[in-house]
Amino acid sequence: MAQPDNQSKRFFESLSGAGKSIAVLTSGGDAQGMNAAVRAVVRMGIYVGAKVYFIREGYQGMVDGGEENIKEASWESVSSMLQMGGTVIGSARCKEFRSHEGRLKAAHNLVQRGITNLCVIGGDGSLTGANLFREEWSGLLEELVQQGLIDEDAVQKYSALHIVGMVGSIDNDFCGTDMTIGTDSALHRIIEVVDAIMTTAQSHQRTFVLEVMGRHCGYLALVSALACGADWVLIPEMPPEDGWEEKMCQKLSATRSRGSRLNIIIVAEGAIDRHGKAITGSVVKDLVVRCLGFDTRVTILGHVQRGGTPSAFDRILASRMGVEAVIALLETTANTPACVVSLCGNQAVRLPLMECVQMTQEVQKAMDEKKFEEAVKLRGRSFENNLKTYKLLAHRKLESELPHSNFNIAVLNVGAPAAGMNAAVRSAVRVGISEGHKMFAVNDGFEGFYKGQIKEIKWADVGGWTGQGGSLLGTKRTLPAKHVEKIAEQMRAHNINALLVIGGFEAYLGLMELLEARGKYDEFCVPMVMVPATVSNNVPGSDLSIGADTALNAITDTCDRIKQSASGTKRRVFIIETMGGYCGYLASVGGLAAGADAAYIYEEPFDIRDLQSNVEHLTEKMKGAIQRGLVLRNENSNENYTTDFIYQLYSEEGRGVFDCRKNVLGHMQQGGAPSPFDRNFGTKISAKAMLWLTKKMNETFRQGRVFANTEDTCCLLGMRRRALVFQPVVQLKDETDFVHRIPKEQWWLKLRPLMKILAKYKTSYDVSDSGQLEHVVRNIRPKESDASGAM
């Protein structure tokens, strides 16, 4: 199989952990995904030749010491923990570690085992404590010498303590990272509850007030409000203006008067008014009942948000961060400051720990001083964008307040359905109306376009769309080239001044065909933009597509269930076929999230020798303590080595050691309610596309009409590394393999060696792109960063 180049190999092999000891602990509150991070640290540490230790019960275990609390980890000791919520190695608050005497005991316990590398997974308090411990380290060793507990040789040998942090917190309240481990899973719990509550609320015409976690940070409340289209949200960073009670009641009443049978209000547990007075769920309920007389219920989600299995996003994030943390520990020197491994856009970065902590503390200081605008900015571009987008979508302006643009915009879905398409359409329609445009919905893609299935779509028409799977507009794979004349007629008939196309590879091809048609038909000389939406994630120009995260969760959930079905039975290997066409994204990244032993894809050619090697590898593993194996195969990975062929090969070669089962996941990967990530990503990227269309229409309006015929007026909006970028589709041609309908270069291929390492294969891992130490102020606001967090 394909390997990184020799330079990358040498770089990786130079990072030997031989003779080093690494300890991993989880501290503070638990968060889903912590186990995936622990697993990655243990396996990567062992892989590079280091000794790896668990420290159980956080800092308490470090202070108490003993074999039970500080225990060497083995490869098998982290098996079957990827899908478990919470933290298997335990977490506890430790008052003793806050004292000098406690840290002295902890230092002694670490030196006894030769541990000078710590990987701390926790919140800002846990990481601040770790940094203090590192700064005091040499002094603590001197004290231990004076007390006769260690000798001078130990001081020389263990002279420096190295710290790398990963942020595990469901609140996403740590500055410097777009997403903390556990946040996405907590959003899953909230959205599951909201979706369930909306059905009962509609049945009884009720108002529901949901109180979610977030004592100091309103991220969960804000993003869940965006993801479910809540009527009102209350967060600590942006207390409502005086008189908010009346405005909220007017909004709820107006929503009902337009035919809605329910209202949803989301309150962060730390929500306050401008005078610092707490706003609780019960306060909001009493207000609604008193002023409107609506049947109102309060649901406090509490620790449900911390529970349950981690989402695919959190498993991938935690696995990437865990591997990056080990590499950072191996590269560190005595002068390297303690760092935290963070996510910026789609990249792992390392930031000085205390810069992040200080920025996080500045947010609280700004809030205490009632500088709320500053607090929102300090939270980072992601938080700011979420808040702006929510305000844009949730609060309908009066007709008299709307700008009058006289522009008409058509929106359509093209290609296969993908979860999150409806959230993107809703966002486009509402942002368009807020900008003063008239919005037109096209049913059934380009096929519906040439047949004239076009009608105006209003604000209320898209209510409740965010949680709906599939495509409510209807979508077809038909391309426009054969029907450009009829489509041009429809553009002229409805005076369409701009196009928003939401879809997959067919949408990309369709946009290029419309661009080509500009030479013949002036109707296509209007701004056109595409937003990528496909479970396959195979659109050039974007690292991510709407719908791919939902598909990954479907794959991960199914793999969890399938693996669980083997518990208590004899050793078993499962062969799972995933969707994706020729793109191996779902198989590879799904394999990483589900803990697969191998993933066969088109982009990385394999032959019978590779298959045989994988069978032998699994046979060896099955002779040990591991009971289950998982192999994923992308549907078009190889025309001869089919899923049936691989199943029969594994069955025959594994006979006497393990038996085999196969499963073709099929269209369940396209179905289901969209994940919080896809709802949020679809909402924000579509809003950004609409604002771009507005700008382009104004720029190209001449002599009473829009005329846009330059390359930069036909673009694809995609996530590229750290930013959302508009790219002319013409410029993406050279990046595209049109035969196999995939980009020529795909970022996620760098994750494949990581999956193999965590499955105990000997392979090389390209660290040439691994995170270099940056600074939080420069990094927290990259240009045009979406920063909603990416895979």
Side-chain angles (χ1 to χ4, degrees):
M1 293 193 187
Q3 300 289 350
D5 58 61
N6 289 331
Q7 184 184 358
S8 300
K9 256 192 223 185
R10 286 197 296 276
F11 186 15
F12 177 73
E13 285 160 3
S14 71
L15 294 173
S16 172
K20 294 197 175 187
S21 293
I22 298 170
V24 57
L25 70 146
T26 53
S27 178
D30 65 311
Q32 309 97 317
M34 278 184 165
N35 290 324
V38 170
R39 172 182 177 267
V41 170
V42 168
R43 292 195 166 175
M44 188 65 178
I46 292 171
Y47 186 84
V48 296
K51 264 190 174 183
V52 187
Y53 291 85
F54 293 134
I55 299 179
R56 298 189 183 277
E57 312 305 334
Y59 288 117
Q60 191 66 56
M62 198 190 293
V63 171
D64 293 343
E67 286 297 320
E68 279 306 304
N69 288 317
I70 305 177
K71 188 174 185 178
E72 189 173 350
S74 66
W75 192 275
E76 289 73 20
S77 64
V78 291
S79 292
S80 302
M81 66 190 287
L82 189 62
Q83 68 270 27
M84 295 174 75
T87 165
V88 168
I89 60 174
S91 182
R93 311 282 178 189
C94 180
K95 284 185 182 177
E96 209 174 343
F97 189 75
R98 293 177 191 168
S99 69
H100 184 78
E101 292 73 20
R103 292 193 290 276
L104 191 66
K105 282 185 193 174
H108 185 218
N109 288 327
L110 294 186
V111 169
Q112 281 182 314
R113 290 163 183 80
I115 298 168
T116 56
N117 296 284
L118 271 187
C119 183
V120 181
I121 307 165
D124 60 337
S126 304
L127 299 177
T128 304
N131 190 61
L132 176 62
F133 190 39
R134 184 187 73 92
E135 288 171 348
E136 290 182 348
W137 183 256
S138 56
L140 294 171
L141 295 196
E142 289 299 332
E143 279 188 60
L144 291 171
V145 170
Q146 289 165 16
Q147 292 177 18
L149 294 171
I150 62 171
D151 56 27
E152 286 291 348
D153 286 347
V155 175
Q156 294 299 317
K157 193 174 179 184
Y158 308 120
S159 59
L161 178 68
H162 306 298
I163 304 280
V164 172
M166 284 184 274
V167 190
S169 163
I170 69 165
D171 292 332
N172 203 29
D173 57 354
F174 192 81
C175 291
T177 186
D178 293 346
M179 287 287 268
T180 56
I181 295 166
T183 302
D184 187 69
S185 300
L187 284 170
H188 272 258
R189 299 296 90 79
I190 294 168
I191 294 303
E192 284 161 12
V193 171
V194 172
D195 285 351
I197 273 176
M198 285 176 99
T199 56
T200 183
Q202 273 189 321
S203 302
H204 296 276
Q205 295 193 58
R206 280 184 178 143
T207 295
F208 267 90
V209 182
L210 264 79
E211 194 172 300
V212 302
M213 281 186 167
R215 195 170 300 132
H216 304 293
C217 178
Y219 186 88
L220 288 179
L222 179 56
V223 174
S224 54
L226 201 54
C228 74
D231 295 286
W232 204 266
V233 65
L234 293 154
I235 58 172
E237 292 88 346
M238 189 53 67
E241 301 286 350
D242 290 344
W244 65 272
E245 297 93 338
E246 188 182 343
K247 285 180 184 172
M248 185 186 77
C249 289
Q250 284 173 353
K251 169 81 192 300
L252 300 181
S253 185
T255 303
R256 288 291 180 94
S257 68
R258 288 193 293 269
S260 176
R261 291 174 59 85
L262 77 157
N263 301 111
I264 299 287
I265 302 163
I266 296 183
V267 184
E269 63 179 332
I272 53 171
D273 65 17
R274 291 270 157 175
H275 309 289
K277 185 182 174 187
I279 303 174
T280 63
S282 56
V283 165
V284 175
K285 177 199 166 179
D286 292 344
L287 172 67
V288 174
V289 172
R290 186 174 69 252
C291 296
L292 299 173
F294 289 173
D295 185 2
T296 308
R297 299 285 189 274
V298 178
T299 300
I300 300 173
L301 296 191
H303 283 72
V304 164
Q305 294 156 90
R306 286 194 190 279
T309 188
S311 66
F313 183 100
D314 272 330
R315 298 183 199 197
I316 296 156
L317 174 67
S319 298
R320 286 179 73 184
M321 299 298 102
V323 168
E324 184 69 32
V326 172
I327 295 170
L329 282 170
L330 296 181
E331 289 181 343
T332 195
T333 65
N335 300 321
T336 309
C339 76
V340 61
V341 179
S342 300
L343 184 77
C344 183
N346 197 24
Q347 279 194 295
V349 296
R350 300 176 203 167
L351 301 171
L353 173 58
M354 291 318 293
E355 282 187 21
C356 296
V357 169
Q358 281 157 14
M359 181 74 81
T360 305
Q361 289 168 349
E362 280 178 37
V363 176
Q364 192 57 49
K365 186 183 173 196
M367 286 163 64
D368 291 342
E369 293 173 358
K370 299 186 178 177
K371 296 176 181 174
F372 299 113
E373 297 283 349
E374 188 182 324
V376 168
K377 283 187 168 62
L378 287 167
R379 277 274 179 238
R381 184 61 63 92
S382 168
F383 194 93
E384 213 175 346
N385 282 349
N386 281 319
L387 190 57
K388 282 178 184 172
T389 309
Y390 177 78
K391 286 177 177 176
L392 203 58
L393 296 171
H395 301 295
R396 185 180 184 180
K397 293 175 183 174
L398 298 171
E399 291 291 329
S400 58
E401 297 174 326
L402 290 172
H404 290 288
S405 71
N406 294 320
F407 290 139
N408 296 344
I409 300 177
V411 57
L412 64 157
N413 293 339
V414 177
M421 275 183 163
N422 297 321
V425 172
R426 170 186 177 269
S427 174
V429 168
R430 292 198 168 177
V431 172
I433 291 169
S434 294
E435 291 292 300
H437 312 315
K438 193 180 276 190
M439 297 300 298
F440 287 85
V442 181
N443 294 112
D444 296 338
F446 289 118
E447 190 172 310
F449 213 146
Y450 82 79
K451 289 179 178 176
Q453 296 172 9
I454 305 165
K455 62 178 181 181
E456 188 180 350
I457 187 165
K458 301 286 186 69
W459 185 283
D461 296 335
V462 291
W465 278 33
T466 49
Q468 300 286 322
S471 165
L472 292 171
L473 286 186
T475 181
K476 293 277 175 73
R477 294 179 184 269
T478 308
L479 293 174
K482 292 178 183 175
H483 312 285
V484 285
E485 188 177 345
K486 288 183 179 177
I487 293 172
E489 281 176 20
Q490 294 296 335
M491 295 273 288
R492 190 165 55 249
H494 292 88
N495 189 26
I496 301 299
N497 307 116
L499 272 184
L500 171 63
V501 184
I502 300 165
F505 204 86
E506 290 88 357
Y508 168 62
L509 294 175
L511 214 58
M512 284 201 291
E513 289 179 1
L514 294 183
L515 181 66
E516 194 75 24
R518 277 180 173 177
K520 196 171 180 185
Y521 301 96
D522 282 357
E523 285 82 4
F524 299 118
C525 293
V526 296
M528 297 185 277
V529 66
M530 174 192 163
V531 167
T534 166
V535 299
S536 303
N537 199 32
N538 64 332
V539 177
S542 189
D543 292 351
L544 292 172
S545 298
I546 299 163
D549 183 69
T550 305
L552 279 178
N553 278 290
I555 292 166
T556 306
D557 291 347
T558 307
C559 288
D560 285 352
R561 292 181 187 188
I562 285 170
K563 283 161 73 177
Q564 194 177 45
S565 75
S567 62
T569 66
K570 59 186 177 180
R571 291 173 172 84
R572 185 166 284 170
V573 173
F574 295 95
I575 316 292
I576 311 289
E577 183 184 299
T578 67
M579 275 183 161
Y582 285 96
C583 180
Y585 176 81
L586 291 179
S588 296
V589 182
L592 180 59
D597 294 278
Y600 300 116
I601 62 170
Y602 166 77
E603 293 92 339
E604 197 171 279
F606 58 96
D607 57 26
I608 195 69
R609 289 180 294 276
D610 295 310
L611 292 169
Q612 185 63 34
S613 170
N614 293 151
V615 173
E616 288 168 4
H617 179 81
L618 269 168
T619 304
E620 199 58 39
K621 277 177 75 174
M622 291 287 183
K623 287 176 181 174
I626 292 171
Q627 299 283 317
R628 288 161 289 180
L630 184 66
V631 174
L632 270 61
R633 178 189 174 274
N634 166 245
E635 59 185 350
N636 287 349
S637 55
N638 188 295
E639 61 180 344
N640 295 313
Y641 300 131
T642 63
T643 302
D644 280 334
F645 178 92
I646 293 171
Y647 163 68
Q648 287 164 5
L649 176 72
Y650 272 70
S651 297
E652 181 62 32
E653 296 299 316
R655 188 171 290 174
V657 180
F658 58 80
D659 67 357
C660 252
R661 295 287 185 274
K662 67 172 177 177
N663 201 305
V664 178
L665 299 187
H667 282 74
M668 65 173 292
Q669 295 157 87
Q670 277 185 347
S675 67
F677 183 93
D678 277 332
R679 297 183 196 200
N680 192 358
F681 186 51
T683 298
K684 286 203 286 187
I685 195 170
S686 200
K688 194 175 186 70
M690 287 302 298
L691 295 174
W692 180 85
L693 285 176
T694 300
K695 178 168 167 268
K696 289 293 176 186
M697 285 189 295
N698 287 325
E699 285 175 359
T700 57
F701 187 72
R702 299 282 184 278
Q703 297 174 338
R705 63 163 292 190
V706 171
F707 188 81
N709 65 346
T710 54
E711 287 181 0
D712 67 347
T713 56
C714 182
C715 284
L716 181 145
L717 173 57
M719 165 69 84
R720 277 279 171 99
R721 290 165 75 88
R722 301 189 186 189
L724 279 172
V725 187
F726 289 95
Q727 303 143 99
V729 290
V730 168
Q731 293 176 15
L732 295 174
K733 276 186 179 179
D734 292 340
E735 298 179 26
T736 310
D737 175 349
F738 286 99
V739 175
H740 298 101
R741 299 159 63 90
I742 54 174
K744 288 179 181 174
E745 288 188 19
Q746 304 190 81
W747 69 273
W748 51 265
L749 285 168
K750 291 178 181 175
L751 300 182
R752 283 184 60 78
L754 192 155
M755 183 192 76
K756 292 173 194 171
I757 287 166
L758 298 180
K760 213 175 184 178
Y761 283 92
K762 282 290 171 192
T763 186
S764 57
Y765 182 56
D766 183 356
V767 294
S768 59
D769 194 36
S770 69
Q772 302 303 309
L773 198 63
E774 301 183 12
H775 291 282
V776 69
V777 177
R778 179 167 60 85
N779 184 54
I780 202 162
R781 293 196 191 176
K783 186 184 176 188
E784 293 289 339
S785 173
D786 167 65
S788 60
M791 290 296 167

